[in-house]
């Protein structure tokens, strides 16, 4: 029986034809395990995960292995991106048992869902031995297995305990920045060693930290990191967009999957770096990353989740080049120049003498380079292409919307803002069902999984951004709706938040992760939205809720800046005010509006429109002075005298 065929998850659909008799996550699978008195095998992964594909090919597509799994367990397949709550619980268990985690995640649990043995990737022979050993233990050493599962569940619940709450003060933020600088790789940029992930949230924090403190070493670390990433193989030198991570310290060889969330957050980083410090490379990368989102990830409804690392089972096949392949496309003369420019060598930087394209320095002949780049990209587009994870995730689309609004307003690109608004309309019309968010959709059809806290936070923040870009009150109303659900159903007694709602499916532990990982934590995301909404409405209730949420992570932030970057980004907004900037003007492209976005202090909100526009609280009572567009700059709702001159506005924001 193919139980996965009706899912919206591309990852589950990849496994629908396996001889393993996969069950989707749900009570039916656990009831079957109780009926048969066998353990459950919970296999967690995602569609663009390279080692997930490897384990599937080695074990899950093998008839003999499948027969053993089907006989001795009830196998459950979980898409971690569709069910981050399930993933979080069992990842905590895996890390507690093994000291590390990753995907594919392989968990054996009781029919009640309590994990008792956890791991990640297992080669076929080891996996077969493991399944047999687990079954023998379940049948012959049941009491020991149950004691083990109880101990693991207890460990999971202890991990979820929160540190004492403390305000997110400037001292906390200074200390968080100090921990980042201590881990800074001055030789290659970034933080720590290999593998190296783009530290987008840490960079966003440090940019805001620089605005407040003017510490040059902070800006230097951000600038150099962004430069090295943009010139390395982790960045697609032909089509734009960043890969998930580099396997080395030098950003040379990527793990080739491209994730929506990385590129959305990095679009914000490069936009803000250019805005704050003036940086031509940052502006180019911001423009190319925005174009990548449009070209490769927009599906007519929203932004899809990812492009796979593999093409026809070979990692990086679409992206790497040999010298002969370059010459074949552009000829020997242009080829020699392109090979030098892009570091395509005879020995190669990747496997089998192939090279990942890099761009160590800008070419002097830009026109020639752009022509060669176009020809190489056209040729690459004719190659077999990586698989696409076509599901639309609410939280990640929220991140993309916010990034496109910032990019579009800073650079006066109305097409970027229009795309952000279109995607916001899709989320509001499709993912918002009966007042509650659904996490995923595919091909315009919403799926069943309920939204988790990061969805509510990232989408609410996006709706606040769209309100600022359009001056339409409905987006503020929608943001309030999401925030009120989060406050009613996700918040705990201490002012923090759980990742799942109080009326969501009950798991062995209710996840509540306060640290940022690949994306902002749910707590960081909801805090950002609460602070933005509070600034846009002058409603102190929401701001205070954001402050209380950040207080639950402040102790961790002070000592672990790398894992609390988005929380610290919101903290810098609170230290700044944040500023509320209202511009009374009949013209959306008024120079005052562009200047406000370009010179905005950390976390500032900006609205513009006709005086007294309905549904826009910051424009209430704002009038044109002497018939001229007028800017009102406030902080904590204490306002300076209004100004009509561009230079006066810039001076107030400096």
């Amino acid at each position: 029986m193919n139980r996965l065929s009706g899912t919206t998850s591309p990852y589950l659909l990849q496994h629908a034809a396996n001889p393993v008799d996969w069950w989707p996550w749900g009570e039916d699978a656990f009831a079957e395990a109780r009926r048969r008195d066998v353990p459950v095998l919970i296999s967690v992964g995602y569609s663009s995960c390279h080692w997930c594909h490897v384990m599937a090919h080695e074990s899950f597509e093998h008839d003999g292995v499948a027969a053993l799994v089907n006989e001795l367990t009830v196998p459950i397949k979980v898409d971690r991106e569709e069910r981050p709550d399930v993933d979080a619980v069992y990842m905590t268990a895996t890390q507690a048992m093994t000291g590390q985690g990753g995907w594919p995640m392989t968990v054996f649990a009781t029919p009640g869902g309590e994990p008792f043995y956890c791991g990640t990737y297992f080669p076929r022979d080891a996996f077969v031995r493991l399944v047999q050993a687990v079954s023998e233990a379940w049948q012959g050493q049941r009491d020991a297995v149950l004691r083990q599962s109880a101990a693991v569940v207890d460990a999971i619940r202890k991990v979820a305990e929160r540190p004492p709450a403390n305000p997110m003060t400037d001292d906390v933020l200074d200390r968080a920045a100090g921990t980042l600088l201590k881990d800074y790789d001055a030789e290659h940029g970034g933080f720590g060693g290999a593998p190296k992930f783009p530290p987008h949230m840490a960079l966003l924090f440090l940019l805001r930290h620089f605005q407040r403190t003017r510490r040059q070493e902070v800006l230097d670390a951000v600038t150099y990191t962004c430069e090295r990433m943009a010139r390395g193989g982790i960045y697609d030198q032909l089509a734009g967009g960043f890969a998930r991570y580099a396997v080395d310290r030098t950003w040379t060889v990527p793990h080739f999957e491209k994730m929506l969330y990385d590129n959305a957050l990095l679009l914000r980083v490069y936009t803000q770096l250019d805005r704050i410090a003036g940086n031509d490379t940052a502006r180019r990368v911001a423009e190319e990353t925005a174009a990548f989102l449009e070209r490769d990830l927009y599906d007519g409804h929203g932004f899809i989740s990812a492009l796979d690392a593999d093409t026809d089972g070979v990692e990086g096949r679409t992206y790497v080049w040999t010298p002969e392949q370059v010459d074949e496309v552009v000829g020997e003369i242009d080829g020699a120049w392109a090979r030098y420019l892009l570091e395509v060598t005879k020995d190669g930087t990747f496997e089998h003498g192939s090279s990942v394209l890099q761009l160590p320095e800008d070419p002097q002949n830009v026109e020639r380079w752009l022509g060669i780049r176009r020809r190489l990209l056209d040729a690459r587009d004719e190659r077999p292409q990586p698989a696409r994870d076509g599901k639309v995730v609410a939280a990640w689309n929220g991140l993309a919307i916010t990034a496109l609004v910032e990019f579009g307003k800073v650079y006066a690109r109305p097409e970027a803002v229009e795309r952000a608004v279109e995607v916001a309309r899709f989320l509001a019309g499709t993912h918002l069902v009966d007042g509650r968010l659904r996490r995923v959709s595919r091909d315009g059809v919403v799926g069943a999984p309920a939204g988790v806290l990061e969805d509510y936070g990232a989408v609410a923040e996006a709706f606040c951004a769209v309100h600022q870009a359009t001056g339409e009150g409905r987006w503020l109303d929608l943001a309030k709706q999401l925030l009120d659900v989060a406050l009613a159903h996700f918040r705990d007694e201490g002012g923090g938040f759980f990742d799942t709602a109080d009326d969501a499916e009950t798991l062995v532990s209710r996840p509540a992760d306060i640290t940022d990982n690949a994306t902002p934590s749910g707590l960081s995301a909801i805090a950002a939205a609460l602070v933005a909404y509070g600034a846009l409405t002058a409603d102190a209730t929401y701001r205070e809720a954001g402050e209380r949420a950040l207080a639950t992570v402040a102790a961790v932030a002070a000592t672990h800046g790398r894992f609390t970057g988005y929380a610290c980004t919101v903290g810098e907004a609170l230290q700044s005010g944040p500023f509320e900037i209202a511009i009374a003007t009949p013209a959306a492209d008024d120079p005052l509006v562009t200047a406000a976005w370009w010179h905005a202090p950390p976390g500032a909100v900006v609205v513009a429109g006709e005086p007294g526009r309905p549904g826009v609280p910051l424009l209430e009572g704002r009038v044109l002075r002497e018939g001229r567009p007028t800017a009102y700059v406030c902080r904590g709702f204490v306002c300076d005298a209004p100004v009509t001159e561009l230079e006066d506005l810039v001076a107030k924001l400096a």
Side-chain angles (χ1 to χ4, degrees):
M1 179 183 296
N2 184 349
R3 298 182 179 86
L4 304 183
S5 58
T7 181
T8 57
S9 165
Y11 177 63
L12 267 59
L13 290 173
Q14 289 172 358
H15 293 272
N18 289 169
V20 173
D21 185 17
W22 294 113
W23 291 68
W25 177 269
E27 174 54 31
D28 288 349
F30 292 100
E32 177 68 5
R34 290 192 292 271
R35 185 187 71 79
R36 291 175 49 199
D37 190 26
V38 296
V40 294
L41 163 63
I42 304 170
S43 177
V44 185
Y46 57 104
S47 72
S48 57
C49 164
H50 172 71
W51 288 103
C52 299
H53 296 318
V54 172
M55 190 166 178
H57 178 68
E58 290 179 346
S59 296
F60 304 147
E61 297 171 7
H62 188 278
D63 289 336
V65 177
L68 189 71
V69 168
N70 295 338
E71 177 187 357
L72 301 181
T73 74
V74 170
I76 301 173
K77 180 59 75 172
V78 178
D79 183 342
R80 66 168 294 262
E81 296 172 346
E82 190 172 72
R83 291 299 305 265
D85 51 341
V86 174
D87 175 69
V89 168
Y90 293 106
M91 181 57 70
T92 301
T94 300
Q95 291 170 333
M97 291 193 73
T98 69
Q100 60 186 7
W103 301 276
M105 180 163 51
T106 305
V107 176
F108 291 90
T110 71
E114 298 91 353
F116 59 84
Y117 189 89
C118 305
T120 52
Y121 162 77
F122 292 95
R124 181 193 299 164
D125 291 345
F127 181 64
V128 167
R129 291 193 299 270
L130 177 60
V131 173
Q132 293 170 330
V134 164
S135 178
E136 291 169 3
W138 180 256
Q139 299 302 330
Q141 304 174 52
R142 182 73 58 89
D143 289 345
V145 170
L146 294 178
R147 285 195 300 271
Q148 172 81 348
S149 68
V152 174
V153 170
D154 184 58
I156 294 172
R157 290 171 178 163
K158 286 181 178 178
V159 168
E161 294 176 358
R162 302 186 188 280
N166 296 298
M168 184 75 85
T169 62
D170 56 357
D171 178 64
V172 169
L173 296 168
D174 292 346
R175 291 167 62 192
T179 68
L180 281 165
L181 293 180
K182 188 178 296 183
D183 287 341
Y184 175 59
D185 181 349
E187 183 178 1
H188 301 292
F191 305 97
K196 259 187 182 166
F197 292 80
H200 29 56
M201 290 173 281
L203 296 175
L204 283 172
F205 160 48
L206 290 178
L207 283 168
R208 287 188 176 181
H209 186 72
F210 168 74
Q211 285 185 278
R212 176 170 64 86
T213 66
R214 313 311 292 184
R215 294 174 60 192
Q216 188 61 41
E217 68 269 30
V218 170
L219 180 61
D220 290 345
V222 175
T223 302
Y224 187 63
T225 297
C226 287
E227 180 80 12
R228 291 304 300 263
M229 289 194 302
R231 298 200 176 281
I234 194 172
Y235 184 66
D236 188 338
Q237 303 297 341
L238 299 184
F242 288 85
R244 179 71 191 96
Y245 64 87
V247 302
D248 49 53
R249 284 182 61 203
T250 62
W251 308 105
T252 301
V253 177
H255 184 53
F256 290 88
E257 62 186 326
K258 291 180 178 178
M259 310 300 299
L260 171 61
Y261 51 75
D262 286 321
N263 285 283
L265 289 164
L266 287 165
L267 174 56
R268 291 186 70 183
V269 168
Y270 281 88
T271 299
Q272 297 303 325
L273 175 59
D274 184 34
R275 181 181 76 84
I276 292 168
N279 187 291
D280 291 341
T281 298
R283 179 166 189 160
R284 171 178 65 82
V285 172
E287 291 172 343
E288 292 172 358
T289 303
F292 162 73
L293 293 177
E294 179 72 22
R295 174 185 186 264
D296 288 341
L297 298 186
Y298 182 66
D299 75 346
H301 305 285
F303 294 103
I304 67 169
S305 297
L307 303 181
D308 208 334
D310 298 355
T311 300
D312 298 336
V314 179
E315 186 175 8
R317 177 182 175 186
T318 299
Y319 299 104
V320 297
W321 296 79
T322 64
E324 293 77 17
Q325 289 172 327
V326 173
D327 290 353
E328 182 180 351
V329 172
V330 300
E332 291 187 8
I333 296 176
D334 280 345
W337 188 67
R339 284 186 274 112
Y340 170 78
L341 192 66
L342 297 168
E343 296 205 338
V344 179
T345 65
K346 181 179 179 181
D347 294 334
T349 55
F350 192 56
E351 299 170 350
H352 311 299
S354 61
S355 293
V356 182
L357 301 188
Q358 302 176 75
L359 190 68
E361 59 184 27
D362 288 333
Q364 293 184 348
N365 190 334
V366 176
E367 185 175 351
R368 184 185 184 191
W369 156 237
L370 293 177
I372 289 174
R373 180 187 184 196
R374 178 75 259 168
R375 291 152 68 190
L376 290 173
L377 180 58
D378 288 344
R380 197 183 80 179
D381 286 344
E382 296 299 318
R383 296 176 174 179
Q385 297 297 304
R388 296 159 55 88
D389 183 338
K391 70 177 179 293
V392 171
V393 177
W396 305 352
N397 274 256
L399 297 176
I401 290 166
T402 300
L404 285 171
V405 167
E406 289 183 359
F407 171 79
K409 298 303 289 186
V410 166
Y411 292 118
R413 300 291 177 81
E415 67 280 2
V417 174
E418 289 168 8
R419 178 64 73 217
V421 174
E422 288 175 8
V423 177
R425 289 196 190 107
F426 172 72
L427 294 180
T430 302
H431 282 245
L432 193 54
V433 180
D434 297 328
R436 303 292 283 270
L437 266 182
R438 301 277 184 88
R439 179 162 174 83
V440 297
S441 65
R442 190 163 178 263
D443 297 329
V445 179
V446 74
V452 294
L453 183 63
E454 72 163 342
D455 297 303
Y456 281 85
V459 175
E461 185 180 19
F463 286 167
C464 287
V466 173
H467 169 75
Q468 294 174 70
T470 64
E472 295 177 8
R474 70 177 293 247
W475 298 110
L476 211 52
D477 294 339
L478 286 167
K480 181 181 188 302
Q481 180 179 340
L482 297 181
L483 293 174
D484 287 347
V485 170
L487 292 170
H489 293 286
F490 290 81
R491 188 161 55 163
D492 68 19
E493 295 178 354
F497 287 82
F498 291 100
D499 291 327
T500 56
D502 55 8
D503 54 0
E505 175 188 0
T506 301
L507 304 174
V508 296
S509 177
R510 191 176 178 190
D513 192 355
I514 62 174
T515 57
D516 300 319
N517 198 318
T519 58
S521 70
L523 185 139
S524 297
I526 204 71
L530 287 165
V531 170
Y533 182 83
L536 288 166
T537 61
D539 192 329
T541 302
Y542 294 89
R543 177 194 171 94
E544 290 167 1
E547 290 175 333
R548 292 188 68 195
L550 287 181
T552 66
V553 73
V556 177
T559 54
H560 295 88
R562 286 179 65 182
F563 306 107
T564 54
Y566 209 69
C568 291
T569 300
V570 184
E572 289 290 355
L574 286 171
Q575 290 300 314
S576 172
F579 278 65
E580 307 100 22
I581 306 168
I583 300 172
T585 176
D589 59 349
D590 192 287
L592 289 175
V593 179
T594 301
W597 282 91
W598 190 265
H599 297 282
V605 295
V606 181
V607 295
E610 300 87 352
R613 188 167 187 171
V616 187
L618 288 188
L619 287 175
E620 291 180 8
R622 311 304 191 190
V623 298
L624 301 177
R625 297 188 68 193
E626 300 176 355
R628 301 175 63 190
T630 304
Y632 296 80
V633 177
C634 309
R635 185 184 183 196
F637 306 103
V638 176
C639 300
D640 292 338
V643 297
T644 57
E645 298 295 337
L646 189 63
E647 57 270 24
D648 292 336
L649 173 60
V650 172
K652 285 183 178 294
L653 299 179

